[in-house]
Amino acid sequence: METADLTTIAERYHRVQARVAQAARRSGRTPEAVRLVVVVKAQPIERIRAVVAAGARDLGENYPEQALPKMQALQDGPPVRWHMIGHLQRRKTRIVVQHFHMLHSLDSVPLAQRLERQLAQAGRVLPTLLEFNVGGEAQKHGWPAHDERAWPALADAIAPVLDLPHLQVQGLMTVPPWRADPEEVRPFFRRLRRLRDFLARRFPRSTWEHLSMGMSHDFEVAIEEGATFVRIGSAILGPRPG
Ligand SMILES: *Cc1c(COP(=O)(O)O)cnc(C)c1O
């Protein structure tokens, strides 16, 4: 990797941070109300080092086993928080329990129960978001939430997760359908926010503070609709090497 490319990463990181801050102000919030998670999946370690050197402290990964060598490589740098944002397979849960700060992509009750057992053994509480599929796409993960008439049944379906003492549910996450025009993604972000409000009324004793939504090409719209976490990869680190 050329030095020039790594400088560009720092510049892009600061530019994206500035756009996040502006969008937060447009939505009547302070810049601190929106956290930027830099998504490092499939990226070379030099680029990840460059973004950490530029100040990034929250990193996102889709594949737990691919995060491990990256964690090791970053060990002598400043401490970073790892966010698990991809579909979590049963056999990978222990890596998340041991090494990740937060899980954005919890998508089933059996997975929650398995995590609960391992977290109890490890004696830790894991901040967790529930993933919903708000676009009705067959290939997407998350509890189906496209049809609002099904939300009462959906609330019943996720209720068991809220009783698990070592999973601290803090909100919702989604990966909406891709649209060339980010304005066309807005209704999906809005749907996740409305689902959050619905669940908050239904389960007032749980915390529903966070909405993890918005990626490289649509994060400003997501922030305008209430995102508290945006997950941004290629706009900062460049295209993932194929
Ligand atoms: C890859 C990925 C991102 C980041 O995507 P970019 O378009 O590179 O910003 C965010 N969230 C999830 C769940 C992802 O898989």
Side-chain angles (χ1 to χ4, degrees), residues 39 41 62 85 173 175 215-216 231-234 240:
V39 177
K41 67 167 178 242
N62 292 55
I85 63 170
M173 179 269 211
V175 182
M215 302 168 31
S216 284
R231 311 176 308 265
I232 301 179
S234 46
R240 287 174 276 278

Side-chain angles (χ1 to χ4, degrees), residues 118-232:
Q118 295 178 352
L119 287 161
Q121 277 170 15
R124 75 166 286 217
V125 171
L126 182 68
T128 301
L129 307 178
L130 308 179
E131 180 172 359
F132 293 96
N133 177 351
V134 292
E137 297 167 289
Q139 76 278 16
K140 289 273 166 76
H141 295 286
W143 279 278
H146 183 63
D147 180 1
E148 300 196 14
R149 291 165 303 180
W151 283 3
L154 183 58
D156 293 342
I158 61 115
V161 176
L162 306 178
D163 293 329
L164 301 175
H166 297 83
L167 279 179
Q168 187 186 49
V169 174
Q170 298 185 343
L172 285 59
M173 179 269 211
T174 197
V175 182
W178 194 89
R179 297 283 186 270
D181 177 1
E183 271 306 321
E184 290 180 25
V185 191
R186 191 182 293 276
F188 299 110
F189 293 139
R190 203 167 274 173
R191 183 173 292 152
L192 192 73
R193 189 185 63 200
R194 281 217 309 280
L195 176 59
R196 186 269 302 275
D197 296 344
F198 173 84
L199 293 173
R201 283 193 300 276
R202 185 73 177 255
F203 303 108
R205 283 185 306 167
S206 296
T207 319
W208 301 100
E209 174 187 358
H210 289 300
L211 291 174
S212 172
M213 56 188 196
M215 302 168 31
S216 284
H217 95 295
D218 58 15
F219 68 89
E220 284 156 312
V221 172
I223 293 169
E224 287 166 10
E225 294 302 328
T228 62
F229 283 101
V230 288
R231 311 176 308 265
I232 301 179

Side-chain angles (χ1 to χ4, degrees), residues 49-122:
R49 280 213 183 89
V51 80
V52 171
R57 294 295 177 268
D58 289 278
L59 303 183
E61 176 61 70
N62 292 55
Y63 312 102
E65 74 282 10
Q66 292 181 16
L68 291 175
K70 295 169 186 165
M71 290 172 179
Q72 194 121 44
L74 295 175
Q75 236 167 15
D76 27 355
V80 296
R81 292 176 289 268
W82 284 88
H83 298 254
M84 173 59 192
I85 63 170
H87 174 63
L88 178 55
Q89 295 174 297
R90 288 174 59 82
R91 64 179 190 281
K92 311 275 174 64
T93 50
R94 216 170 268 284
I95 303 178
V96 172
V97 165
Q98 290 174 347
H99 298 285
F100 279 77
H101 166 75
M102 185 166 188
L103 171 63
H104 290 231
S105 47
L106 182 69
D107 60 5
S108 84
V109 172
L111 185 65
Q113 288 165 336
R114 182 182 172 86
L115 284 161
E116 169 61 28
R117 283 193 298 277
Q118 295 178 352
L119 287 161
Q121 277 170 15

